[in-house]
């Protein structure tokens, strides 16, 4: 019961406040308006996701291991 109360307090009140505070402080330190900080963050997330889905699949260690095993079998 106490753990649920603590979780609800953190999840409902402290976490959103901390995110808003961090965004506000970042915007002030960069001398940018807060909406611009939000949109820039969204853009960065989109670029990282595109990179991970494009290049990240090619660099997957399981895929590379499978290709090396196939190459090794064909070489022998």
């Amino acid at each position: 019961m106490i753990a649920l109360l603590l979780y609800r307090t953190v999840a409902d009140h402290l976490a959103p406040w901390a995110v808003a505070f961090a965004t506000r402080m970042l915007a002030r330190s960069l001398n940018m308006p807060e909406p611009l900080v939000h949109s820039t963050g969204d853009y960065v997330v989109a670029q990282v996701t595109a990179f991970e889905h494009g290049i990240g699949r090619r660099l997957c260690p399981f895929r590379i291991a499978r290709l090396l095993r196939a190459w090794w079998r064909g070489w022998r």
Side-chain angles (χ1 to χ4, degrees):
M1 184 77 166
I2 293 174
L4 179 61
L5 179 64
L6 288 173
Y7 172 76
R8 294 289 304 248
T9 302
V10 170
D12 292 343
H13 300 291
L14 296 179
W17 178 84
V19 170
F21 181 74
T23 303
R24 187 171 294 124
M25 289 298 107
L26 180 63
R28 290 183 103 191
S29 69
L30 295 173
N31 198 18
M32 295 169 57
E34 286 184 52
L36 186 59
V37 172
H38 282 288
S39 62
T40 303
D42 293 341
Y43 177 74
V44 168
V45 168
Q47 290 295 322
V48 168
T49 303
F51 175 78
E52 287 177 349
H53 285 289
I55 301 297
R57 286 185 180 172
R58 292 187 190 123
L59 297 177
C60 175
F62 297 112
R63 182 177 184 272
I64 292 174
R66 189 172 57 245
L67 289 172
L68 286 174
R69 279 195 305 267
W71 176 75
W72 181 257
R73 283 189 211 124
W75 187 63
R76 293 170 54 201

